[in-house]
Amino acid sequence: MIRREGTPQREGSPWTGLWAVVVKEMADHLSSPRMRVLEGLILLTAIGTVYLAIQNIRQTIGEDPFLFLRLFTTATEPLNYSFVAFMGFLIPLTAIALGFDAVNGEYNRRTLSRVLAQPIYRDALLLGKFLGALFTLTITLLGLWLLVTGLGIYRLGVIPSGEEVARSLLFLLATVAYAAIWLALAMMFSVRFRQPATSAMAAMAIWLFFAVFWDIIVRIVAGIVRPVQYGFGEEQLAQAQLQLALSRLSPNTLYAEMILAFLNPQVRALGPVLLAQLEGAILGTPLPLSQSLLLVWPQLTGLTAAVLILFAITYVNFQRQEVRA
């Protein structure tokens, strides 16, 4: 192999110092006022929604075999939002808050060149910042899961079954994957823009686009590309399939489908179902956990792939930047 003269070569592993960066980032996040405010908001929301859900469950549901899972999905007045609905709203905001100034904050404090003057490559620094923020989110969500579980056992007096615990843990895994997407997006903008306010606004704009406008755009595009001219079933099915395919480009849709399959065992399919596909099926029968996992395996793979793509874009841009202050 021909080596270009004057080009410095790496010595040692590019991941040297990775875990030192991870531990430092976790310590910074967990002790920061920003994280304490977010934790307080999430904790207050969780206690409120779960307490109201427990009141509703004790009044209306007596013989449900998956009573514990209703804690996460039951919505009642005056909030009218379930625990998972609030998580879908708060998790992206928390992830963006942890990642929007991960790199440009170092530029503005003029500390990036001093950090890289240590025996730490850019690879370890960038991955360490991502893992540090992701582990912080995971610890927060795990604590929240334990709190909800404890409240459910204490107030309902029912011990969750093994399948209910497994399904709720898969819900936790799906939430971490969903948070990783918004964290990777926020870090990508923190590398692209030097001002933290600009990167925060860009990440928030993307989140609002998918949360508010994407479904409207999908319905318009599906109506134009696959119009229902004569009212035939084939036309309606083609339009519904196109609308579903486009909506799955949004991480919100992928997350919602995973939550639906994990926390509602009666769900046997996602999307349009033909009568021929229901032949032999016993309606209302819970789906085994392994089948629910197979049902949403493409969604989980899609979220993971999106995280890897966003991190790869961030990595390439960061490697090409000048780090001297």
Side-chain angles (χ1 to χ4, degrees):
M1 180 177 66
I2 300 175
R3 178 176 297 177
R4 185 181 299 175
E5 294 183 1
T7 301
Q9 299 298 314
R10 284 184 172 183
E11 296 179 358
S13 170
W15 308 115
T16 301
L18 170 65
W19 294 109
V21 176
V22 171
V23 173
K24 187 260 183 188
E25 289 295 318
M26 289 181 66
D28 289 347
H29 287 312
L30 290 173
S31 61
S32 68
R34 178 195 314 171
M35 192 63 198
R36 290 175 184 172
V37 171
L38 292 170
E39 287 175 344
L41 181 61
I42 293 175
L43 186 63
L44 182 64
T45 304
I47 292 176
T49 54
V50 172
Y51 179 79
L52 292 174
I54 289 173
Q55 301 300 319
N56 184 277
I57 290 170
R58 295 175 71 177
Q59 294 175 1
T60 60
I61 303 175
E63 301 297 331
D64 194 325
F66 296 98
L67 193 64
F68 177 73
L69 297 181
R70 304 298 180 199
L71 291 173
F72 300 95
T73 57
T74 300
T76 186
E77 294 181 352
L79 291 178
N80 291 325
Y81 286 98
S82 64
F83 175 77
V84 295
F86 271 109
M87 288 298 101
F89 177 77
L90 291 175
I91 291 300
L93 296 180
T94 306
I96 290 172
L98 292 182
F100 77 94
D101 62 346
V103 176
N104 51 23
E106 299 281 357
Y107 277 113
N108 293 332
R109 292 191 297 270
R110 299 181 183 277
T111 54
L112 186 59
S113 57
R114 279 185 285 174
V115 172
L116 294 178
Q118 308 300 316
I120 297 175
Y121 286 116
R122 297 188 192 194
D123 315 63
L125 179 67
L126 190 66
L127 184 58
K129 284 183 172 292
F130 178 77
L131 292 179
L134 187 62
F135 289 166
T136 301
L137 277 169
T138 303
I139 290 173
T140 303
L141 292 173
L142 181 61
L144 201 59
W145 181 85
L146 292 172
L147 175 66
V148 172
T149 304
L151 276 175
I153 295 174
Y154 176 72
R155 296 288 298 173
L156 293 176
V158 176
I159 304 298
S161 64
E163 181 168 345
E164 286 178 307
V165 173
R167 286 182 176 275
S168 60
L169 285 175
L170 285 172
F171 155 68
L172 181 64
L173 175 65
T175 305
V176 171
Y178 180 60
I181 280 193
W182 299 107
L183 176 63
L185 180 74
M187 287 190 62
M188 184 182 74
F189 286 127
S190 78
V191 172
R192 177 63 181 81
F193 302 111
R194 289 299 177 94
Q195 296 300 321
T198 307
S199 62
M201 290 298 296
M204 292 288 293
I206 298 292
W207 171 67
L208 282 174
F209 173 75
F210 281 115
V212 178
F213 300 108
W214 183 246
D215 288 340
I216 301 173
I217 295 173
V218 164
R219 283 196 291 271
I220 294 173
V221 172
I224 295 173
V225 178
R226 292 281 190 272
V228 180
Q229 296 178 342
Y230 305 104
F232 294 150
E234 291 81 1
E235 292 178 327
Q236 295 176 353
L237 180 62
Q239 186 182 87
Q241 289 177 335
L242 176 62
Q243 188 171 332
L244 182 62
L246 292 176
S247 67
R248 282 175 174 167
L249 295 177
S250 165
N252 298 347
T253 303
L254 299 180
Y255 178 62
E257 290 183 340
M258 285 194 296
I259 297 306
L260 186 64
F262 287 144
L263 298 183
N264 190 353
Q266 279 78 24
V267 172
R268 308 180 71 86
L270 301 170
V273 179
L274 301 177
L275 289 176
Q277 295 174 304
L278 295 175
E279 186 177 354
I282 302 176
L283 297 180
T285 304
L287 206 61
L289 177 59
S290 59
Q291 295 300 312
S292 294
L293 184 59
L294 286 176
L295 186 65
V296 295
W297 188 255
Q299 282 80 354
L300 184 59
T301 305
L303 282 182
T304 306
V307 173
L308 294 176
I309 291 172
L310 288 172
F311 187 81
I313 294 172
T314 307
Y315 178 85
V316 171
N317 287 334
F318 187 51
Q319 293 291 336
R320 292 178 175 177
Q321 283 187 346
E322 175 61 58
V323 299
R324 288 177 295 183

